[in-house]
Structures are given as C-alpha cells and as structure tokens.
Amino acid sequence: MPSDLWLPLAKKMVETIDGLDWCVFGKNGSDVTSYAITLARVYTGKMDILLARGSYHGSHFWCQPHGQGVPEEWKTHVHYFEYNDAEDFRRVWAEHQGTVAGVVLTPHRHDAMRDQELPKPEFVEAVNSLARKDGFMVIIDDVRCGFRLDIAGSSKHYGWKADIQCFGKAMANGYAISVAGARRELMEAAKTIFFTGTHFFSGVPFAAALACIDEIRASSAIEHIRRMGTMFMNGLADAAAAAGVKVSVTGPPAMPYMTFADDPLFETNRFFCGEAARRGIFLHPHHNWFVCAAMQEADIQKTLDVASVCFKLTREKIGG
Amino acid sequence: MPSDLWLPLAKKMVETIDGLDWCVFGKNGSDVTSYAITLARVYTGKMDILLARGSYHGSHFWCQPHGQGVPEEWKTHVHYFEYNDAEDFRRVWAEHQGTVAGVVLTPHRHDAMRDQELPKPEFVEAVNSLARKDGFMVIIDDVRCGFRLDIAGSSKHYGWKADIQCFGKAMANGYAISVAGARRELMEAAKTIFFTGTHFFSGVPFAAALACIDEIRASSAIEHIRRMGTMFMNGLADAAAAAGVKVSVTGPPAMPYMTFADDPLFETNRFFCGEAARRGIFLHPHHNWFVCAAMQEADIQKTLDVASVCFKLTREKIGG
C-alpha cells in the first residue's frame, strides 16, 4: 500500500549518495537502468548508448544481446567496447561521435563467468574526461555494488564522475526497491519521461530501505564487510596454495570471486563449489559472491575450513 | 532473501488459475507482459504483436507509444486495433498475416481517461477463434483485474481462451510480485528465454502471495467485493440522478469508474474528486477505482454520503 515514506527515502538517498540531487524509485535493477538510458537520451537529445561488452545491466530487451525472442531492431542504438580499455572506449565513441547519449558502466567489472577487475584509473579518467568534453552522460549501474563498498556510492569509491546512478539489492536488505537518480541539471528532462509500474508505490520496501540505510551507517556494516571479506580472500588464497591448487581470487573484499587456472568451462569450479555445498557452504561457480554484515569471524573460518577440504579434493581430482 | 516458497507458490498458481500449467515470477506488471510477448515470439517463431489502442500493459519501451526518449525502432513490431471491435481486429491481423506472434489484451477495457467497457462476446469469440485458426497466442494481461473478478482468473470470467496470462497487484495484497504463466505446450519455448531480475527471488512476497490467495478463497473476498461494489455503483448512480448530474458509471463492481457527461478534459471530474478528497474519500478522476475486501457496508455508505454532497456541489458549479 502507498505510504508517506516516498519523500523521506528520496531525501535519505540524496543526503547519502555523493552527486545525487534527486531520484526516482522502481522495483528491480532493469527498471532503473532502462530509466537511466531514457533520461540520458532526453537530456542530451541523442540516442546511442555505449555498453561494456559482457557487463550485465538487466534483462530488458535493449541490454540482453543473448536473449531469444527479441527483434533485432530492438537491440539497436547500443554499441559495445571493452571494459577497462580506454583506447577501445575512445574508438567506439569516435565511431558514434555526435549521437552518444551516455555510457553505462558497472563500478568495477563483475561480469559472470570471469575474474573481476577493478577499474583502471586511466580508464576512469578517460571516461570522465571524454564525457565532460562531449556532453554524454556517465551512468553508473551500482545495483550490485551499491551500499557494499561505500555508503556514498561506488562512484565515489572508484572516482567515477557519475551523472546518473542506479541502486537496488543491498539498499533494503532484500525488499524489492530500486533507485535511479541524477544531478540537478537533469531534473527538467526527467519531467517528460514516463516511468511507473505495479507495486512501485508499496510502502513496505520504503520503510525497509530507510531502516536498512540507517542500520548500515549505525553498525559500520561496510567496514565490517570489508574486514570479513579481506580475511576470507586472504584465507582462500592461502588454502588454495597450501593444497597446491592455482586459483585467481578477484574483486573488492565485499564481493569476491574465485576461478581456477585452466578451467575454461568451469568444470573444476563446479566440482569445488559442489563439494562445498555438500558441506554446508554455498559458493557460486559462475557468479561473484557477496560478504554480508551478518557474517562473523567464526563464519569466515568455517568457510575457509570447508574450502581447505574442498581444495584438497579438487587437487586429487584434477591432479598436480 | 531466497526461500523455499518458489515451488509452493507456482503449484498454488497452477491449481488456482484456469488454463495455467506453469509459471514464472517477476516483480511488476511490465516484467511479465514483456516476458509474455517474448514467450509468444519464441513459441510461434513470429515477431508481430497486436495491441488494443490505448490499453495499458506497462512502462517498458515496446508498450509506451507516448514515452519520451525511446528510439522509434524500439517501438516496431507492435500494431494497434480498437478494443471490442472484431472487424478492426481482423483487419489489423490480416495486414500482418503470417507474422503475428500474439495479441495482448486486458480482460475488459480499463484504459485510463475513458469509460470502462466489458468485452463484447462477439469480440471475445473473434479473437479466440482467429487465434486458434492462425496459431497466434492470446495473452491476457490480468495484472490489474486478476484476483478481483474470479479466483480462477479473469480469462475464465470473460471467456478468453488465454494461452498466456499475467498477474500482479492484488495477488499478494501489495507485496511486490508478478506472474506470467501459460499452457503446457509453451514450456519448451520458455527454456530458451532469458528472464531474471534484482529481488525476483526474495522470499517475503512469495509468502505474502501464498497467504493472500488462501485468504481470498477462505474469506470469499471476491464475492464480498462484488456485493460492496454493486452497492457502491448503484448508490453512486442514484446519488448523481438525485442531484441532477449526468454520469456514466462503468466497469465490473470490483473496479468501478465514473465520468461526467460533457467533460472531455475531466475538469468536472477533478472538481468532484477534489471535493470528495476534502471530505476524506479518495476517488481518482482519470483512472478506474478498486473495491477491496476490507470495505464494509458502512464504508460504502459513508462514501455515498460524501458523493451525494459532492454531486450537489458539482451541480451548483456546472449548472443544470
């Protein structure tokens, strides 16, 4: 049911997130990434959107190049570059110079089925400066990372000069709410955009988000997550080394991921994660993981103990 | 957080809704109407979708012809006919014969800013029989009407032979969940469709939907709503007549709407609804209303008492 928490949450978001002067609310990540590209288009009067190849921004037609049942022309006006490759970004921009409305980027690279990559400072600088020069919008899709790396947003954490930012997931501890917001200058453009949906006005997720954001701050959850994640990533690397298994542990401590060397089809990873699941620990073989505020040292240690056993089993399976 | 309620709710939906053999879950109406057209496309191998002009099926790019910031080619493959006009439906179908994947219809016509219309039996029959003959899918967007007119779905209520059905809103009493489901034959096609989203797996809305559907049945909520709505619609018509104001009260009793004669810009309706709001009754001047299970005779009577006062004020304002 609707409530009077809409405005308090909007104020909370604007107070909390760096560079956010106003915002709208949706239910899931796709709602707000689709809103963000529309806002960039209306504000700039241009239509082309640049996306990093392999980055995930939702399941709407425009951002699922692999989807079945989507007409080809419903995927137009979207052009792909390589994440963290400033030269490739400039090349794709130059090919569409004059028609680029915005670039959509995850704060760091957390595509499924590959090692995570933190954004290279020269890539961040290239995007920031070209956007300022050309007038296209920097849209940071902080749906997955938001409220995990920095309470003020992952754009601040990594140095993105975001014009438009999207949040979801962690902000209401699982209650269905998502947010897109932007700088003050984009507010007029927003007035012409059609954006609504079933359940968008339900009060419960607004209350959950307000409580959750306050609790993240009061409990220093982000610092705790960073400590637990660091303990986990270091322990995981040590346990793999002790078992003689080569792994790559990547990502910020709040959201680690691990791959095995010479494992292009993730068969070794599925074996490892399957053995861990049998022992009560859920790790995903294809998707990055999340450390949450409820996890304590004993939980991390238990996870590392199980991982040690599973690394030994993996070593036996794949050989030396 | 994910829970083990996914399968129980899927079973509950299949047991409850007529003609539904399986289903998927989203968060809002647009999620599932977009899924539905994709399913129709993959199943039929065709791309064109027929829509009733003015009907609302969500805020995604393909179904918002009035939206700003959407490239023209992102609105292709969608063709419009007049609701309740069998001849016009056949004409638009014939123009695209051979490429029609499906037709999307609300159970009855409940577009904003116009009187509601119940579906004419000959229109229902024309759509049902042409779909069977040509092999395109009948997609019923029951997001707004579902769980208000018939526990088994509004398709059953009105006689639509639905291949794909979409639900949301009332099914979980405001918790964010939506559903698309179909006949068994479409299950294989569904396996190739990419469909997911932030919060899609949260457990709370699944628990809410399970509880709500059980409660609707146990409390005979739909019959109660019909009685209350009938009392409201009859009383409203009587009160308008008594005040000498010409109105049109339309829709099924569960979701009435009222317009004034000679009020093309809804100025009279906004005056009437504004006066009602001052007296504690919220009525929408542009959008159909909903009777809910919590409303009792005393609530309806209070609403009618306020309406009587407001009809008199309206009569004074607009003259005889």
Side-chain angles (χ1 to χ4, degrees):
Chain A
M1 301 296 112
S3 75
D4 55 359
L5 298 176
W6 185 283
L7 192 57
L9 183 57
K11 286 180 176 168
K12 176 76 72 182
M13 287 298 300
V14 166
E15 285 164 15
T16 304
I17 302 297
D18 194 58
L20 206 77
D21 292 322
W22 60 273
C23 62
V24 298
F25 298 103
K27 287 285 102 182
N28 58 60
S30 303
D31 290 338
V32 291
T33 56
S34 292
Y35 177 85
I37 65 164
T38 307
L39 178 61
R41 284 170 162 166
V42 173
Y43 181 70
T44 63
K46 297 170 182 176
M47 282 292 170
D48 286 349
I49 300 294
L50 310 185
L51 294 182
R53 188 173 289 111
S55 284
Y56 183 71
H57 300 295
S59 63
H60 282 194
F61 299 133
W62 65 273
C63 57
Q64 49 149 315
H66 49 306
Q68 296 299 307
V70 183
E72 283 309 308
E73 63 264 58
W74 287 20
K75 302 171 185 172
T76 56
H77 285 292
V78 176
H79 312 292
Y80 293 90
F81 61 90
E82 282 299 313
Y83 198 102
N84 255 343
D85 185 335
E87 192 178 338
D88 197 55
F89 177 75
R90 279 194 210 94
R91 178 187 65 77
V92 175
W93 168 79
E95 280 176 15
H96 303 280
Q97 196 174 347
T99 58
V100 177
V103 55
V104 186
L105 284 156
T106 56
H108 69 266
R109 187 173 197 172
H110 53 58
D111 316 355
M113 305 188 104
R114 56 169 297 148
D115 290 340
Q116 294 184 91
E117 288 178 33
L118 302 192
K120 292 178 185 164
E122 62 267 28
F123 179 61
V124 175
E125 170 56 23
V127 171
N128 285 344
S129 61
L130 191 55
R132 192 169 302 122
K133 187 181 130 196
D134 187 49
F136 64 79
M137 300 293 103
V138 176
I139 301 165
I140 298 298
D141 176 353
D142 211 359
V143 171
R144 201 186 292 181
C145 300
F147 295 93
R148 300 184 197 275
L149 309 181
D150 189 321
I151 188 87
S154 308
S155 295
K156 187 175 182 214
H157 185 73
Y158 290 124
W160 298 106
K161 299 288 182 203
D163 298 291
I164 308 172
Q165 301 178 61
C166 302
F167 299 90
K169 296 198 193 285
M171 66 175 282
N173 204 30
Y175 282 85
I177 190 165
S178 59
V179 175
R183 296 187 288 108
R184 190 172 311 279
E185 290 86 338
L186 283 79
M187 203 185 257
E188 277 301 310
K191 290 179 184 170
T192 69
I193 297 174
F194 182 73
F195 186 61
T196 187
T198 303
H199 307 307
F200 272 26
F201 303 87
S202 302
V204 171
F206 283 82
L210 280 162
C212 187
I213 295 170
D214 284 345
E215 181 64 20
I216 289 170
R217 198 188 293 276
S219 66
S220 300
I222 290 176
E223 292 71 21
H224 173 74
I225 285 171
R226 189 180 300 129
R227 281 197 305 278
M228 293 300 103
T230 302
M231 176 186 169
F232 178 51
M233 291 176 79
N234 291 341
L236 207 58
D238 290 348
V245 181
K246 282 185 188 156
V247 298
S248 174
V249 182
T250 57
M255 34 200 298
Y257 180 50
M258 187 185 76
T259 58
F260 287 86
D262 307 318
D263 185 29
L265 300 177
F266 298 86
E267 289 163 342
T268 304
N269 215 344
R270 280 196 293 276
F271 172 79
F272 174 86
C273 292
E275 291 297 326
R278 282 195 180 85
R279 289 161 180 81
I281 299 295
F282 177 67
L283 299 168
H284 201 299
H286 305 152
H287 189 290
N288 70 279
W289 313 330
F290 301 98
V291 177
C292 89
M295 293 175 182
Q296 301 298 328
E297 283 193 19
D299 303 304
I300 303 296
Q301 192 55 56
K302 181 184 168 189
T303 304
L304 292 173
D305 292 345
V306 167
S308 284
V309 173
C310 296
F311 280 130
K312 283 175 198 132
L313 292 169
T314 303
R315 169 66 188 229
E316 285 166 21
K317 183 179 162 69
I318 63 175
Chain B
M1 302 294 111
S3 75
D4 53 0
L5 298 176
W6 186 283
L7 191 58
L9 183 58
K11 286 180 178 170
K12 176 77 70 183
M13 287 298 299
V14 166
E15 286 164 15
T16 304
I17 302 297
D18 195 58
L20 205 77
D21 292 322
W22 61 273
C23 63
V24 298
F25 297 104
K27 288 285 102 181
N28 57 60
S30 303
D31 290 338
V32 290
T33 57
S34 293
Y35 178 84
I37 65 164
T38 308
L39 178 61
R41 285 168 162 167
V42 172
Y43 181 69
T44 63
K46 298 170 182 176
M47 282 293 170
D48 286 349
I49 301 293
L50 309 186
L51 294 181
R53 189 173 288 110
S55 285
Y56 183 70
H57 300 294
S59 63
H60 282 193
F61 299 132
W62 65 271
C63 57
Q64 49 149 311
H66 50 308
Q68 294 300 305
V70 183
E72 283 309 308
E73 63 264 59
W74 287 20
K75 302 172 186 171
T76 56
H77 286 292
V78 176
H79 311 293
Y80 293 90
F81 61 90
E82 281 300 314
Y83 198 102
N84 256 342
D85 185 336
E87 193 177 339
D88 197 55
F89 177 74
R90 279 194 210 94
R91 179 187 64 78
V92 176
W93 168 80
E95 280 176 15
H96 302 280
Q97 196 175 348
T99 57
V100 177
V103 55
V104 186
L105 284 156
T106 55
H108 68 265
R109 188 174 198 172
H110 53 59
D111 316 356
M113 304 187 104
R114 56 170 296 149
D115 290 340
Q116 295 184 92
E117 289 179 32
L118 302 192
K120 294 179 186 164
E122 62 268 27
F123 179 61
V124 175
E125 170 55 24
V127 171
N128 285 345
S129 60
L130 192 55
R132 192 170 299 122
K133 187 181 129 196
D134 187 51
F136 64 78
M137 300 292 103
V138 175
I139 301 165
I140 298 298
D141 176 353
D142 211 359
V143 171
R144 199 185 291 181
C145 300
F147 295 93
R148 300 185 197 275
L149 308 181
D150 189 322
I151 188 86
S154 308
S155 295
K156 187 175 181 214
H157 185 72
Y158 289 125
W160 298 107
K161 300 287 182 205
D163 298 291
I164 308 173
Q165 300 177 62
C166 301
F167 299 89
K169 297 198 193 286
M171 66 175 281
N173 205 28
Y175 282 85
I177 191 164
S178 59
V179 175
R183 296 188 287 106
R184 191 173 308 281
E185 290 86 338
L186 284 79
M187 203 185 256
E188 277 301 310
K191 291 180 184 170
T192 69
I193 296 173
F194 183 72
F195 186 61
T196 186
T198 302
H199 307 306
F200 272 27
F201 303 87
S202 301
V204 171
F206 283 83
L210 280 163
C212 187
I213 295 170
D214 284 346
E215 181 65 20
I216 289 170
R217 197 187 294 278
S219 67
S220 300
I222 290 176
E223 292 70 19
H224 174 74
I225 285 172
R226 190 179 299 130
R227 280 197 306 276
M228 293 301 102
T230 302
M231 175 185 170
F232 178 51
M233 290 176 79
N234 291 341
L236 207 58
D238 290 348
V245 181
K246 281 185 189 156
V247 298
S248 175
V249 182
T250 56
M255 35 200 298
Y257 180 51
M258 187 186 75
T259 59
F260 287 85
D262 306 319
D263 185 28
L265 299 177
F266 298 87
E267 289 163 342
T268 304
N269 214 346
R270 280 195 293 276
F271 172 80
F272 174 86
C273 292
E275 290 298 327
R278 283 195 180 85
R279 289 160 179 82
I281 299 295
F282 177 68
L283 299 168
H284 201 299
H286 306 152
H287 188 291
N288 70 278
W289 313 330
F290 301 98
V291 176
C292 89
M295 293 174 182
Q296 301 299 328
E297 281 192 20
D299 303 304
I300 302 297
Q301 192 54 57
K302 181 183 169 190
T303 304
L304 292 173
D305 292 345
V306 167
S308 284
V309 173
C310 297
F311 280 129
K312 283 175 198 133
L313 293 169
T314 303
R315 169 67 189 230
E316 285 166 21
K317 183 179 162 68
I318 64 176

